Amino acid sequence: MEENTAPFIAQRNNVTILGQGSQVMVFAHGFGCDQNMWRYVIPAFLEGYKVVLFDHVGAGHSDLSQFDPVKYGTLHGYAKDVLDICRLAGGRDIIFVGHSVSALIGILAAIEAPEMFSRLILVGPSPCYINDGDYIGGFERANIEELLEFMDGNYLGWSSAMAPAIMGNPDRPSLASELENSFCRTDPEIAKHFARTTFLSDHRADLDKLTVPSLILQCSADVIAPQAVGEYLHRQLANSTLVLMKATGHCPNLSAPDETIESIARYLPPSTTGRGHHQQAA
Amino acid sequence: MEENTAPFIAQRNNVTILGQGSQVMVFAHGFGCDQNMWRYVIPAFLEGYKVVLFDHVGAGHSDLSQFDPVKYGTLHGYAKDVLDICRLAGGRDIIFVGHSVSALIGILAAIEAPEMFSRLILVGPSPCYINDGDYIGGFERANIEELLEFMDGNYLGWSSAMAPAIMGNPDRPSLASELENSFCRTDPEIAKHFARTTFLSDHRADLDKLTVPSLILQCSADVIAPQAVGEYLHRQLANSTLVLMKATGHCPNLSAPDETIESIARYLPPSTTGRGHHQQAA
C-alpha cells in the first residue's frame, strides 16, 4: 500500500468508523492505552455523530512496523497521523476529543490545519509536566527523570506500580488493573519512547497559535495534570472553556464516563443529524 | 543507659514534650517522615494539652543504633515503643494521634494497654493495603510487590517518583518535594525494611479487639488509603467515628492542617486546662 492512501492510514492506525451522524467526532487515546478506552463514552454520541476511533502507531492494533522513532520523537509526528485520519474522515467540521497527551497532539494538529476542526475537547491536557519558575506542571524535573528511569529498567514493574497512582479511584481497583493491563499490552520499547516524548514535551509556546475553540476538561486530584495546568491552558488558549470535573484521577473517560459525556454534550452545539446529543434527548 | 529508663526512651525516640495542658496528646508520624511533619498541627493544641512528639526508631533524629530488624519486622515492635513513650508521658488518659501506618501502630498499642488511652485519632489509616476478596485495600499484591522491588533497587528514585503520587495536591509541588526530601533523609536500608513491614501488614483480624474510642480521618482521593478502607475500619472498630475530609492525598497534616486541626478539635471533649481546643477559643 502506498503511504497516505486511505487503506494505508486505516490499517496503520487501526481506524474504526461508527455512528449515524454526518458531523465527525475523532477520539484519540492517551499514553499506554488504545481506542478501547473510549468504550463507555462513545455510545452516547453514536446517534448524533460519525464517530472515528483509532490507535496511535505503537498502541492497540496499530501497525507496529510503521513505528519510526524519529517521526514519533516529537508530538508533531503523532499530530501528522491525526491529520491523516481527519482527512480520511472528511477533513472538515471535525470535533476532536483527545485524552491526556492526545489533547496536546490535537492542539498541534489544529494549529497545523485549523480549517479541518470545529472544536477540540481536551480531557486532562497538559502542555508541560515539569514545574518551571512560576509555571506549575506538577512534577520537578527529577521526579520525571526518575519515573522514566524506573520505566526503562522495568517496564512491567513501572506499569504495576504507577497505574494505581495515575488512575486514582483506589476504591475501584479494577480501574487501575485495566490501566495496568493496557500499559502491559503495549510494546515496552515503544511505550518507553512514547513516555519520553510525552513527559519531556513542552508545548507552552505553541498555545497562542491555536484558533479553534476548545473545551478543557480538568479532573480533580489528578496527579498527572493538576488544576493549575488546566487554568494555565484556559488563560493561554483563545476561545477556550474550562470545566472542573468532580471526577478524580487522570482517566475520567474510564472512571466517570457519565460526567465526561455530560460535559462534552453540554459544550457541543446541537448536532444536525440523528437524535442529537444528550441535551436534546428526552 | 539502661533500656526502658526514661532517658533511654527519650533518646532512642528523640522525644519532645511541649505545651501547657495536663492531658497528653502523643503525635506519631508515618512512613518516611518524622515529628517535624506535625508542625502545622501542634500549635493549635499547645495551650490545651501536653503535646508529645517523637521519631520512630530509624526516622528523624532517633537513635539509629537501636534499629533491630527483628523487633521492627512487625508493627508490634513499633507499638511497643509507643507504649514506652506513653508511659514516659504519664501513662493515662492519652490522646494518641497517628498518621498512616502509625494509626495502626496506635491501634496495636491501645489493644495491648487500653487503660493508657482515652482516644485514638487515626489519620489516613489502613489495616491492609492489598485487595483480598471483597476487601478493598487499593492495591493488588503485584502492585505492592513492584513498588517494594522498585524501592529495593533504587530508593532515591522511588522517593522521587512516588512522593508526588502519595502527597497528591500536584498544584502545590512544594508539598511533594517536602515529602520526597523527608523520604531521602531516611536511611535507605531502614526505610526499605519499614516499607515492607508497613505495606505487607494485615491487621484486619486485630480490629475487633480495640475498645478505646477512635476518630478515623479519611481523606478524599487518597491513593494509599481509599475511602472504602476508612468505611471498613469504621464498621470494624467499636466506638469509632468516621470523618470524610475534603483534603486530598495522603498527608492532610501537611496539605490541609486547618481542616485536620478542626476535625480533631471537634472530636475531642473540651480540655480541662489552658484555653482548650479550637471550639472553645473565641
Side-chain angles (χ1 to χ4, degrees):
Chain A
M1 268 181 293
E2 221 171 313
E3 280 200 37
N4 294 326
T5 62
F8 174 84
I9 293 162
Q11 187 185 318
R12 180 187 65 191
N13 287 106
N14 185 30
V15 176
T16 306
I17 302 181
L18 302 167
Q20 294 149 29
S22 59
Q23 189 172 16
V24 173
M25 291 182 84
V26 174
F27 288 81
H29 66 82
F31 169 81
C33 298
D34 62 32
Q35 62 188 268
N36 191 41
M37 295 295 155
W38 292 110
R39 69 187 182 281
Y40 301 127
V41 172
I42 55 164
F45 298 100
L46 291 178
E47 289 192 38
Y49 298 91
K50 186 195 283 189
V51 168
V52 176
L53 299 162
F54 71 96
D55 299 331
H56 284 300
V57 170
H61 295 287
S62 66
D63 182 353
L64 297 195
S65 74
Q66 292 299 316
F67 188 78
D68 171 350
V70 175
K71 174 177 177 184
Y72 299 114
T74 75
L75 298 185
H76 291 286
Y78 292 99
K80 197 167 176 303
D81 290 356
V82 163
L83 291 176
D84 286 344
I85 293 159
C86 287
R87 253 177 241 114
L88 188 74
R92 53 175 294 279
D93 206 19
I94 287 172
I95 298 159
F96 175 89
V97 186
H99 176 227
S100 194
V101 64
S102 278
L104 265 288
I105 291 168
I107 288 174
L108 296 178
I111 289 170
E112 185 71 25
E115 69 284 1
M116 286 207 224
F117 298 91
S118 66
R119 309 214 176 193
L120 305 184
I121 316 280
L122 312 171
V123 184
S126 173
C128 180
Y129 299 89
I130 296 174
N131 305 322
D132 176 23
D134 286 346
Y135 175 77
I136 292 172
F139 295 89
E140 296 296 330
R141 183 169 291 276
N143 304 140
I144 292 287
E145 282 168 0
E146 291 295 350
L147 283 168
L148 293 171
E149 268 188 41
F150 176 22
M151 182 186 264
D152 279 346
N154 179 1
Y155 178 67
L156 296 184
W158 182 93
S159 301
S160 184
M162 295 311 300
I166 295 171
M167 178 57 76
N169 293 281
D171 289 299
R172 292 182 286 161
S174 64
L175 289 170
S177 293
E178 174 175 351
L179 189 63
E180 178 189 341
N181 291 336
S182 179
F183 287 169
C184 294
R185 277 195 306 272
T186 309
D187 177 277
E189 293 313 310
I190 294 178
K192 290 174 193 175
H193 191 275
F194 193 18
R196 205 161 280 275
T197 301
T198 298
F199 288 113
L200 297 176
S201 66
D202 180 355
H203 287 286
R204 287 176 292 167
D206 293 313
L207 299 176
D208 66 3
K209 302 176 201 156
L210 182 71
T211 54
V212 177
S214 60
L215 170 66
I216 299 159
L217 294 184
Q218 173 67 48
C219 291
S220 304
D222 177 349
V223 296
I224 301 294
Q227 187 174 332
V229 169
E231 290 164 356
Y232 176 87
L233 279 166
H234 183 41
R235 287 194 303 275
Q236 302 296 316
L237 293 177
N239 300 316
S240 64
T241 300
L242 175 64
V243 168
L244 180 59
M245 298 178 75
K246 285 183 195 152
T248 56
H250 189 55
C251 307
N253 41 350
L254 289 169
S255 66
D258 288 348
E259 189 186 6
T260 304
I261 291 165
E262 284 302 321
S263 302
I264 295 173
R266 211 176 302 122
Y267 175 71
L268 295 180
S271 70
T272 50
T273 51
R275 252 183 55 214
H277 64 64
H278 259 217
Q279 288 188 304
Q280 295 181 292
Chain B
M1 272 179 292
E2 221 172 312
E3 279 201 37
N4 293 325
T5 61
F8 174 84
I9 293 162
Q11 187 185 319
R12 180 186 66 192
N13 287 106
N14 185 29
V15 177
T16 306
I17 302 182
L18 301 167
Q20 294 149 28
S22 59
Q23 188 172 16
V24 173
M25 290 182 82
V26 173
F27 289 80
H29 66 82
F31 169 80
C33 298
D34 62 32
Q35 61 187 270
N36 191 41
M37 295 293 155
W38 292 110
R39 68 187 182 282
Y40 301 127
V41 172
I42 54 163
F45 297 100
L46 290 179
E47 289 191 37
Y49 299 90
K50 185 195 283 188
V51 167
V52 176
L53 298 161
F54 71 96
D55 298 332
H56 284 300
V57 170
H61 295 288
S62 67
D63 182 354
L64 297 194
S65 74
Q66 292 300 315
F67 187 77
D68 171 352
V70 175
K71 174 178 177 183
Y72 299 113
T74 76
L75 299 185
H76 290 287
Y78 293 98
K80 199 167 174 301
D81 290 357
V82 163
L83 291 176
D84 286 344
I85 293 158
C86 288
R87 252 177 241 113
L88 188 76
R92 53 177 294 281
D93 206 20
I94 286 172
I95 297 160
F96 175 89
V97 185
H99 175 228
S100 194
V101 63
S102 278
L104 265 287
I105 291 168
I107 289 173
L108 296 178
I111 289 170
E112 186 70 24
E115 70 282 1
M116 287 207 222
F117 297 91
S118 66
R119 310 219 175 189
L120 305 184
I121 315 282
L122 312 171
V123 185
S126 173
C128 180
Y129 298 88
I130 297 173
N131 305 321
D132 176 23
D134 286 345
Y135 175 78
I136 292 172
F139 296 89
E140 296 295 329
R141 181 168 293 277
N143 304 140
I144 292 287
E145 281 168 1
E146 291 295 351
L147 283 168
L148 293 172
E149 267 187 44
F150 177 23
M151 182 188 264
D152 279 347
N154 179 0
Y155 178 67
L156 296 184
W158 183 92
S159 300
S160 184
M162 296 311 299
I166 295 171
M167 178 57 75
N169 294 281
D171 289 298
R172 291 183 286 161
S174 63
L175 290 170
S177 292
E178 174 175 352
L179 188 63
E180 178 190 341
N181 291 337
S182 179
F183 287 169
C184 294
R185 277 195 305 272
T186 309
D187 177 278
E189 293 313 310
I190 293 178
K192 290 174 193 175
H193 191 274
F194 192 17
R196 205 161 281 276
T197 301
T198 298
F199 288 113
L200 298 175
S201 67
D202 180 356
H203 286 287
R204 288 176 290 166
D206 294 312
L207 300 176
D208 67 2
K209 301 176 202 157
L210 182 70
T211 55
V212 177
S214 60
L215 170 67
I216 300 159
L217 294 185
Q218 172 67 48
C219 290
S220 304
D222 178 349
V223 296
I224 300 293
Q227 187 172 335
V229 169
E231 290 163 357
Y232 175 87
L233 278 166
H234 182 41
R235 287 194 302 276
Q236 302 296 315
L237 293 177
N239 301 316
S240 65
T241 300
L242 175 64
V243 167
L244 180 59
M245 297 178 76
K246 284 183 195 151
T248 56
H250 188 54
C251 306
N253 41 350
L254 288 170
S255 67
D258 289 347
E259 189 187 5
T260 304
I261 291 166
E262 284 301 322
S263 302
I264 295 173
R266 212 176 300 122
Y267 175 70
L268 296 179
S271 70
T272 50
T273 52
R275 253 180 57 215
H277 65 61
H278 259 217
Q279 287 188 303
Q280 295 180 293

